[in-house]
Amino acid sequence: MFFGAKDGWIKPETMNVEKRWFVNVILPLPLPDLFTYEVPEEMREGVSPGVRVVVQFGKQKVYSALVYECHHQAPQQYSVKEVLAVLDELPVVTHQQFKLWKWMSEYYQCAMGEVMLAALPSALRLESESKITRNPSFNHDTSTLTDHEYVVYEALEFKEELTLKEVSKILSLKYVLPVVRSLVNKNVLLVHEEVEERYKPRFVDLISLNEVDFPEDVLGDLMNKLEKKAPKQSDLILTFLHLSKELDAKSISKVLLIKKSGSNTTALNALLKKGVLLSEKKQEDRIQAYTGKLIPPLVLNPFQEQALLDTEMAFENGKVGLLHGVTSSGKTELYIHLIKKKLDEGKQVLYLLPEIALTTQLITRLQKHFGDRLLVYHSRFNEQERVEVWNKLLADNLTSESSSYMVIGARSSVFLPMEKLGLTIVDEEHDQSYKQVDPAPRYNARDAAIVMAAHQDASILLGTATPSMESYFNALSGKFDLITLDRRHAELEMPLVSIVNMKDARNRKQVSGNFSHALLDELKLILKEKQQAILFQNRRGFAPYLECNVCSWTPLCTNCDVSLTYHKFKNEIRCHYCGYVQAPPQKCLQCGDQDIRMKGFGTERIVEDLQLILPDANIARLDYDTTRSKSGYHQIITSFEEGKIDILVGTQMITKGLDFDRVQLVGVLNADSILHYPEFRAHERGFQLLSQVSGRAGRRMHGKVLIQAYHVDSPVLAYVLKHDFKGFYMHELAERHRFFYPPYCRLIEIRLKHRDEKKADQLSKELTTELKKMFSNRVLGPTIPYVNRVRNFYLRQLIIKLEKTISVNEVKKSLQSALEEFKKRPENRQLIIQVDVDPL
Ligand code: ADP
Ligand code: ZN
Ligand code: ZN
């Protein structure tokens, strides 16, 4: 029973000063419970939910934890420890964030500590090695110190800073905290510095003119003198005046000033000494300010106008909007209109995108409309930049200014502190990268965004050209409001899609390597007409591997149950599951023959083969390997935009959100590898992927799409050909109904990992039996997954299928306690159990 509001958010001023104060804190650990600490009287003032405190946990470990709630209830089960220090003056985590965390930990069955680890940028989490220093305001009266205390005090004479571990050594004492604590109470030590923050703001030197002592005429005289005696100094002043006028700024960065003036630090220092110029250190934003001109949203076409009205109607009715708009129909333009409106109302906007769709192209497009109101939250950003976005939003939450921030970011942006959220957009809502697979919380950012919007009464719009089965189902059943845009902007036609029957083509000898002659003819035409083409190769099915031509032996990973992928550029074979690398074998390890050949084909191979056939073409590839560096992606996209590349070969990466004017042809090299994959979502993914990649063609003119396939009778291909999402949906829905899969049911997947294969088998069977007692035939399995061993752990999985009428919360509760029981058995200690709610 806690004091205050149900969700724990109480104002410290409502706490009773007569009673003992306690806080429940979240520790950055996967612990099922919150932990209670007592707040010593002198720290009460700073304590409130959302601030970080330093606490001891376990025998010697010190952590920074987050205060979740305050109350007066002493814990019964254990003797309570005290909070060692309070780290923040103001909360770094908001009430709304805690609400989302709580939901997440319950819905996805994980610990609050795990959510905290995912949510807080690591620069806001703190070093656990605690440090103590002398308090400079201590009056050096050591007469009140005990022997132990004096030793510690003395030790700090020789070393400015000590960790608790070191103190422990010096005193030969296991528990030193009481000593440290007492020293703090006596004002001898400082603890607020004991945990060091990793976030360090960046500083710049700003130079300004001392206008008080050097008004215009005085400065003029001085310049005349300097011109002869010290030309470098007069150059500096002149440059300063120029820059100051040009940039309309009273102060100029030191680096820029020296660079532009061609002068040096000595000259600058001389002027600083004379007091002509002044220098000051200022904290610099790492986020680049936008300086260009702002433009208003474009005028919408009548279809977009109608969609905008429909969307606003959905919002008014408090419904989630699902915008089903074909590629290039102007979904982004619609978003811009909606965002503008919300920002003008003083509300914040969150714009979610799959990580790899978060391109410079889109950021630049949005910056033109929103300038420095736009914040970007990116996994490619470093920690400092992430903390800056976080802090800007915290500050924004406290102001009532009429223009707020919008954030564009990938999955983890749902964790940002936005208390004035007015609108969330989830673009490409069908994308599976919204789901975090590992580690916990195994959340889907789209679904979390819906919950977050509901918590804050904010509007939310999901947008896509290829809705997920779940979302479209929700729209047709009235849970969401469906908004449609079925025309491309400016009467542009949908691209012409055709299928190349590869079996046929091979029989008629119309194939060179992996390319049908039909595709090659189209590519030659593109080159002739100076247009551009994109070739899509799915990495998943057909990564290149080595195989002995005599006995079919294939090199496998030593830790995982998969073949190693061949990388020609580095001449090595690598495991895509665990990163294991080795040199390619010179001969077969099974029969000893040296005839080892490369099988399958990846993007690297495609580029090489194609270059031989089209020697004059500029061909580049866009995939995980070529974009690993921060600038790699940007460079390739820019060269393609500038027309330096004719043909771009890529993986999934090229299917997302790219917008190129001159791409007239899209080729899919092997559709079979996408469609024939052993999982129930294979067709849904295949349809999405093929439609999305087709959508890259002809965004300014009528484009063509060629899909090469061996199994041309797949129903999915027929729907892709006709751009018929609805037809595909109905077809697939019938299948899902027949086999009882989502959206007709909910899934919970339980993954078991064990180093011993027999144990993995035995325990997964035992667990299945246990769970069947509770959930009967809703439990399926155990099955051995497609890849059955990863990093030397054997994997088994169970699926629980729940009909939609059943209370999921009840099920989750019983499931959680059953799993905890099961894990507690001593013989099961080596077993790892992972729960994945709504697996993808
Ligand atoms: P989507 O997000 O649906 O793929 P976009 O919003 O990117 O579509 O629009 C496709 C192209 O058409 C973009 O280049 C965009 O600037 C242009 N466009 C869309 N709507 C308009 C409009 N109302 N006026 C002018 N250009 C538009
Ligand atoms: Zn062999
Ligand atoms: Zn491996």
Side-chain angles (χ1 to χ4, degrees), residues 704-772:
K704 264 191 200 168
V705 180
L706 245 62
I707 300 177
Q708 300 189 154
Y710 284 87
H711 302 273
V712 290
D713 46 0
S714 157
V716 178
L717 289 179
Y719 293 114
V720 172
L721 219 61
K722 289 183 286 180
H723 305 286
D724 184 6
F725 170 77
K726 195 91 181 272
F728 167 76
Y729 170 81
M730 296 314 286
H731 170 89
E732 179 65 15
L733 195 68
E735 298 282 298
R736 299 284 178 93
H737 189 253
R738 195 141 65 101
F739 298 104
F740 194 51
Y741 270 113
Y744 288 102
C745 69
R746 291 169 194 284
L747 300 180
I748 298 177
E749 190 175 293
I750 298 167
R751 292 195 282 269
L752 298 123
K753 299 185 180 182
H754 206 292
R755 285 186 183 276
D756 179 338
E757 184 162 25
K758 283 209 187 80
K759 279 271 180 199
D761 270 328
Q762 179 208 331
L763 294 181
S764 57
K765 278 179 196 145
E766 277 176 25
L767 182 64
T768 311
T769 314
E770 297 277 314
L771 294 181
K772 277 195 169 163

Side-chain angles (χ1 to χ4, degrees), residues 316-340:
E316 247 165 63
N317 296 332
K319 287 279 199 60
V320 176
L322 174 65
L323 172 62
H324 176 211
V326 297
T327 50
S328 244
S329 56
K331 294 185 292 296
T332 314
E333 287 311 322
L334 197 72
Y335 301 154
I336 290 169
H337 277 257
L338 293 164
I339 294 167
K340 173 99 180 39

Side-chain angles (χ1 to χ4, degrees), residues 25-37 55-58 61 63-66 78 81 101 105-106 109-117 440 816 820:
V25 302
I26 311 172
L27 284 159
L29 299 166
L31 302 164
D33 298 310
L34 300 184
F35 283 80
T36 305
Y37 290 85
V55 296
Q56 190 193 1
F57 183 78
K61 283 249 162 94
Y63 290 93
S64 73
L66 258 179
Y78 50 94
K81 293 192 188 97
W101 293 15
S105 96
E106 283 168 5
Q109 305 214 264
C110 62
M112 281 295 259
E114 289 173 308
V115 184
M116 170 170 155
L117 284 170
Q816 190 149 20
E820 267 164 33

Side-chain angles (χ1 to χ4, degrees), residues 547-553 587-596:
E547 192 181 276
C548 168
N549 206 32
V550 177
C551 74
S552 292
W553 170 82
K587 57 181 187 190
C588 172
L589 290 192
Q590 195 163 277
C591 75
D593 203 278
Q594 293 189 358
D595 188 8
I596 294 185

Side-chain angles (χ1 to χ4, degrees), residues 557 559-560 562 575 577-580:
C557 176
N559 311 318
C560 314
V562 290
C575 171
Y577 284 81
C578 74
Y580 171 83

